[in-house]
């Protein structure tokens, strides 16, 4: 099993490649997410031209692989989550939140 830093790098590249091959125009950013009682490394995924996206918890996928899942299964599962998450994302007008003249 590869170490966490190598997994994180390979996983991110595999997600980028799979989304490109799937015809998805996405932007990716790696970041640390801090939530109540937990902090994790995330891959933030946003459709091109959008300010709204989703986070994939890289550490969860690493732990799944440590517990027997294959790397390919992890990438496939992550892509399924990305597709479902972006398809089901709520639609709202961000411009309305940014336009203070409407207040």
């Amino acid at each position: 099993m590869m170490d966490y830093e190598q997994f994180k790098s390979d996983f991110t590249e595999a997600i980028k490649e799979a989304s490109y091959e799937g015809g998805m125009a996405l932007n990716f950013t790696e970041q640390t997410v801090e939530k109540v009682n937990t902090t994790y490394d995330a891959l933030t995924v946003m459709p091109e031209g959008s300010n709204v996206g989703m986070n994939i918890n890289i550490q969860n996928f690493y732990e799944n692989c440590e517990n027997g899942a294959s790397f390919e299964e992890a990438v496939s599962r992550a892509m399924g989550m990305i597709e479902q998450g972006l398809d089901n994302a709520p639609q709202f007008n961000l411009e309305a939140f940014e336009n203070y003249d409407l207040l």
Side-chain angles (χ1 to χ4, degrees):
M1 181 67 189
M2 65 183 88
D3 73 2
Y4 177 69
E5 290 303 319
Q6 185 64 51
F7 175 87
K8 186 167 69 168
S9 175
D10 291 354
F11 184 75
T12 299
E13 287 307 310
I15 295 294
K16 289 177 181 179
E17 186 176 315
S19 67
Y20 177 77
E21 289 174 359
M24 302 171 79
L26 303 174
N27 292 317
F28 300 91
T29 308
E30 286 184 46
Q31 61 183 346
T32 300
V33 173
E34 295 183 24
K35 294 202 171 197
V36 179
N37 299 327
T38 189
T39 301
Y40 63 89
D41 291 326
L43 180 61
T44 301
V45 182
M46 290 190 298
E48 284 187 2
S50 176
N51 292 332
V52 178
M54 62 179 292
N55 288 326
I56 296 294
N57 184 331
I58 297 171
Q59 289 169 250
N60 281 349
F61 286 98
Y62 179 72
E63 289 170 11
N64 288 339
C65 287
E66 281 192 315
N67 292 323
S70 73
F71 183 80
E72 292 75 20
E73 289 170 331
V75 171
S76 178
R77 186 167 159 250
M79 286 305 300
M81 290 175 65
I82 290 168
E83 290 168 3
Q84 183 178 16
L86 296 179
D87 285 346
N88 295 325
Q91 301 297 316
F92 53 92
N93 183 352
L94 278 179
E95 200 172 293
F97 289 103
E98 297 170 346
N99 186 347
Y100 297 106
D101 293 336
L102 297 175
L103 299 176

